Amino acid sequence: MLQGRNGMVRSIDIANELSFSKPSVSVAMKNLRENGYIEVDKDGYISLLDKGRDIAEKIYERHTLLSDWLTTLGVDPKVAAEDACRMEHVISAESFAAIKAHVQKYGGKL
C-alpha cells in the first residue's frame, strides 16, 4: 500500500505508517530479507520479492474484503479497518474462503 502511494519505500516510511519504532522495523526487515521476502538496495529502498509479494497480496485481499464486509454490516469504517487489520493475520484459510464465498454470493449481507 505504501509503495502504491509513495513509489519507493524505506524502513522509516514503514515505521511512520505503522507507528512502530525504527529499531523494531529494522529487526523485522532483517528477518524478511533473510527469509527471501524482500530485498533492500544500497539506498535503503525495499522491494518485495515474488515470495513476499504473494503473501502481501493475500493479506491485502483479506484486509480489503473483511473491512468492506464489516462496513456493509454497519461497522464504522475506521473500526472495520482496525478490526480487519487484526483479523487478516489470524483467520484460517477455510474461514476466509467461506466468508469470501458468502460475500460474493450475497454481497456481504447476512
Side-chain angles (χ1 to χ4, degrees):
M1 290 171 20
L2 272 175
Q3 186 178 21
R5 278 199 319 260
N6 302 343
M8 302 298 287
V9 177
R10 294 191 291 189
S11 291
I12 190 68
D13 302 319
I14 295 168
N16 290 337
E17 177 78 10
L18 300 175
S19 299
F20 290 149
S21 71
K22 185 151 174 32
S24 294
V25 172
S26 181
V27 168
M29 293 302 107
K30 179 182 178 195
N31 288 334
L32 291 170
R33 190 178 63 252
E34 288 177 351
N35 287 298
Y37 296 106
I38 64 169
E39 64 182 6
V40 181
D41 71 15
K42 62 182 176 57
D43 296 319
Y45 291 105
I46 301 164
S47 298
L48 287 170
L49 298 174
D50 289 342
K51 185 172 157 181
R53 183 166 307 283
D54 289 344
I55 292 171
E57 288 172 354
K58 182 186 296 184
I59 295 295
Y60 185 69
E61 176 192 25
R62 287 178 174 200
H63 175 82
T64 303
L65 187 133
L66 291 168
S67 182
D68 291 349
W69 180 56
L70 292 169
T71 301
T72 299
L73 296 175
V75 177
D76 177 86
K78 184 175 186 219
V79 173
E82 290 169 359
D83 287 345
C85 280
R86 289 188 287 275
M87 294 166 66
E88 68 201 26
H89 295 284
V90 296
I91 193 169
S92 70
E94 180 181 359
S95 292
F96 179 73
I99 292 170
K100 183 177 177 180
H102 178 84
V103 167
Q104 290 172 337
K105 185 173 182 179
Y106 298 105
K109 295 182 175 68
L110 296 175

